[in-house]
Amino acid sequence: MKSDLLPIKLPKSKDDEIVWAQLYGSSFGLALAQAAAQYQGLIVAITPDTPALTRLRQEMSFYTGDTIPIYEFPDWETLPYDLFSPHDDIVSTRLETLFQLSQLKTGILIVSLPNALQRLAPEEYLNQNCLSLSVGQSIGDLESFRLTLEQSGYHYASEVMEHGEFSVRGSIIDLYPAGVSAPYRIDLFDNDIDSIRIFDPKTQRTTSKTTQIKIIPAREFPLTESAIALFRSQYRKKFAGNPSEHGIYSDISKGIVPNGIEYYLPLFFSSTTTLFNYLPASTIIVNFDEYESSADQFLENVYQRYEQRRHDTKRPILPPSELYLDHDNLIAEVQGFPRIVLKRFKASADDVGRVILDCQTKAPPSLTVQSRTDNPLFALKNFLSEKTRRVLFIAESTGRREYMLDLLRPQAISPTTVESWT
C-alpha cells in the first residue's frame, strides 16, 4: 500500500499524544492503514460505539486488503444488566482475541469504547486454563477429561454444532473449542489420542486432519469447584437476604449457568482486569475525538439501568463500579500508552496546547446524478474537467461496477478497472 498519501506522524512514548485533524470521509481508515504499515507493533483503535467500529473495520479492510491483520474484540451485544447471555460465537471470538493479544507483534485491534471500559477475567485465567492436545498424547481418565471440559465452560450436546459444545460417543470425542472455525473429532485408542480430525458441523463429515489442537475456555469465567465456592462466598458478602432464595446463587451452586450471569463475572475472581492489561507494552492507542464525553454518556446509561434494576430483591445486581472503569480510571489506563486522537474537522481554539497534525483531507463535493435532466452527469463531468487530481470510482460489487461503467460510457468517461485499493 502506498504509505505517504497522508502526512501522518506516530507518537514515540507514552507521554506523547498527537491529534490527527481534518480527516473527512473514510480517511480515518486510510490514516490507520498507513500507520499500521509503518509501525512495528500493535495499534488499538477505540471507537465510540459498535456502529463506528463496523464502519472503521470496513474502511480499513478496503485500504489494507490482506496486507495487514485486523482483529476485533466484539461486544457482547447485550445491554448492561440484561437477563440473557451473549451468543457462544461472540464469547469464542472474545476469548481467542484476548488469548492472542500478548503474542501479537503487528496489526490493528478495533474495540468499542463500552468494551474498553468493561472489567474482564484476569490474564492468568486464560493462561492457566488453556489445554494443548496432540496425537499420541494420553488424556487420562475419560470421565476426568469430561469434567475438565465442563469446568472450562463447555457443555454436553448430543451433536456438536456450535462453539462451546462437546459430545462423547464411545472412543470418539467431538469438541468445538472457542476461537476456531470448525470442530474437532478426537479418536481414542484406550486413553491415547489416535487421530484428530476437523469436520463440518452441518454434514458431520471430515474435512481435514491435524496433529495438535489448542483448547481455551468456552466462557469468560470458570466453573471449577473453587470458582463456585468463591462466587458463593463473595455473593453472600455483596448481597443481603437469604441467597438460597436467589435464582442466580442457586443455579451457580449447582453448576448450572443461568442467563445473564456475565454481569456477575467479578464474583468468580479475587480481582478483575481490563483490556488494557492484555495489551503489549509497545501498543499505540487510537481514540476518536471527545472519547471522554462518549465514555461519560455510556456510563450514565449504565447507572440509569442500574437504578432501574437494583431494587429486585430476588436478583440483586453489582454496582457499575465493579463492572466498568470510571472516567478517571479510563484516562489513567489510556495515558499508559502512546496516543493518537482522530479528529474529523480542523483544529479549533479548544485544541490549543495539543500537538496537532493537519491531514488536509477535504469533504468531496456533491456529484449527484440528475436523472431527469438532459445532462444527468453534469456535476461529475465538471468536477473531472479540472484535471488537478486522480479520481477513483468505487463500486460495491461487480454488478454495480458494470452498471456504473454503462452509465459513464455515453459521457466519454472511461475509468481503468482495478481489483482493489492496493
Side-chain angles (χ1 to χ4, degrees):
M1 184 185 74
K2 188 175 175 59
S3 60
D4 59 354
L5 294 175
L6 297 177
I8 62 171
K9 179 182 179 182
L10 300 177
K12 296 181 179 180
S13 73
K14 69 177 184 179
D15 297 323
D16 293 344
E17 180 181 86
I18 301 175
V19 179
W20 294 354
Q22 200 174 344
L23 288 167
Y24 292 96
S26 65
S27 51
F28 280 172
L30 174 59
L32 288 178
Q34 283 190 206
Q38 296 177 21
Y39 185 58
Q40 297 301 309
L42 181 66
I43 296 176
V44 176
I46 304 176
T47 65
D49 49 38
T50 300
L53 181 150
T54 301
R55 288 193 300 271
L56 185 62
R57 183 185 61 218
Q58 291 172 341
E59 292 172 6
M60 293 192 56
S61 296
F62 172 76
Y63 287 117
T64 61
D66 297 326
T67 61
I68 297 169
I70 300 175
Y71 308 92
E72 179 182 338
F73 186 59
D75 188 88
W76 275 343
E77 296 186 7
T78 63
L79 295 173
Y81 302 110
D82 261 349
L83 304 182
F84 56 90
S85 294
H87 193 278
D88 289 341
D89 289 348
I90 293 175
V91 174
S92 171
T93 303
R94 286 167 60 91
L95 289 167
E96 176 65 11
T97 302
L98 291 176
F99 185 78
Q100 288 181 334
L101 276 178
S102 62
Q103 308 166 40
L104 294 182
K105 303 301 181 183
T106 58
I108 302 175
L109 172 69
I110 314 176
V111 58
S112 67
L113 184 57
N115 263 357
L117 291 169
Q118 196 174 45
R119 295 190 181 275
L120 305 172
E123 299 157 88
E124 55 265 25
Y125 167 61
L126 285 179
N127 295 332
Q128 294 174 2
N129 290 277
C130 180
L131 179 64
S132 294
L133 299 177
S134 58
V135 172
Q137 178 181 340
S138 173
I139 66 167
D141 178 65
L142 182 58
E143 190 58 34
S144 297
F145 182 74
R146 176 174 178 158
L147 180 61
T148 298
L149 292 177
E150 290 176 344
Q151 291 177 341
S152 295
Y154 289 85
H155 53 275
Y156 183 84
S158 58
E159 190 173 83
V160 170
M161 299 293 292
E162 296 185 343
H163 288 102
E165 294 181 340
F166 78 96
S167 70
V168 180
R169 301 187 309 279
S171 62
I172 297 176
I173 302 172
D174 285 352
L175 175 64
Y176 206 157
V180 299
S181 57
Y184 300 116
R185 180 158 290 154
I186 303 172
D187 293 283
L188 299 177
F189 182 76
D190 289 334
N191 290 330
D192 296 338
I193 298 175
D194 188 54
S195 68
I196 302 174
R197 293 175 286 163
I198 301 170
F199 69 94
D200 185 333
K202 294 181 180 178
T203 65
Q204 296 291 304
R205 293 182 177 178
T206 298
T207 57
S208 60
K209 291 185 177 182
T210 186
T211 59
Q212 188 172 19
I213 61 175
K214 175 188 64 183
I215 303 174
I216 61 176
R219 299 189 184 278
E220 296 183 43
F221 53 88
L223 281 175
T224 60
E225 290 184 5
S226 59
I228 291 175
L230 180 60
F231 175 93
R232 287 162 53 89
S233 173
Q234 297 199 101
Y235 190 100
R236 291 192 296 268
K237 292 178 182 178
K238 296 286 183 183
F239 304 122
N242 183 359
S244 61
E245 297 178 354
H246 302 169
I248 289 285
Y249 182 88
S250 298
D251 284 345
I252 291 297
S253 298
K254 300 172 185 175
I256 300 171
V257 181
N259 280 326
I261 188 61
E262 287 72 19
Y263 290 99
Y264 296 83
L265 180 145
L267 300 183
F268 289 95
F269 303 101
S270 299
S271 62
T272 55
T273 189
T274 66
L275 180 66
F276 297 97
N277 293 103
Y278 281 89
L279 302 178
S282 58
T283 300
I284 290 179
I285 299 290
V286 178
N287 283 306
F288 282 52
D289 195 28
E290 300 179 348
Y291 75 96
E292 293 182 40
S293 60
S294 298
D296 291 341
Q297 183 177 354
F298 170 75
L299 290 172
E300 182 179 346
N301 292 335
V302 172
Y303 274 95
Q304 288 176 357
R305 288 184 63 83
Y306 173 71
E307 287 298 323
Q308 293 169 1
R309 296 179 178 269
R310 73 184 182 90
H311 304 289
D312 185 349
T313 57
K314 299 298 183 183
R315 192 183 175 105
I317 56 179
L318 294 171
S321 60
E322 297 194 33
L323 298 174
Y324 299 96
L325 294 173
D326 61 21
H327 178 106
D328 292 341
N329 285 330
L330 171 65
I331 301 306
E333 293 282 10
V334 169
Q335 290 180 346
F337 298 88
R339 301 172 302 286
I340 296 168
V341 177
L342 302 180
K343 188 179 179 69
R344 183 69 71 187
F345 307 110
K346 290 183 177 181
S348 64
D350 296 335
D351 296 310
V352 172
R354 307 172 80 182
V355 178
I356 305 294
L357 180 65
D358 194 335
C359 294
Q360 300 179 351
T361 71
K362 296 180 180 179
S366 175
L367 302 176
T368 305
V369 177
Q370 304 292 335
S371 57
R372 296 184 179 181
T373 64
D374 294 336
N375 191 353
L377 298 183
F378 172 79
L380 175 61
K381 293 196 69 173
N382 188 51
F383 177 74
L384 296 176
S385 67
E386 298 177 16
K387 296 182 179 180
T388 58
R389 61 183 68 82
R390 301 171 70 193
V391 177
L392 178 67
F393 292 88
I394 302 174
E396 297 174 354
S397 64
T398 302
R400 294 296 296 176
R401 182 187 66 190
E402 295 306 312
Y403 172 79
M404 183 187 296
L405 291 174
D406 289 342
L407 187 66
L408 297 175
R409 196 171 292 115
Q411 306 295 325
I413 302 173
S414 303
T416 300
T417 301
V418 295
E419 291 302 320
S420 67
W421 170 265
T422 53

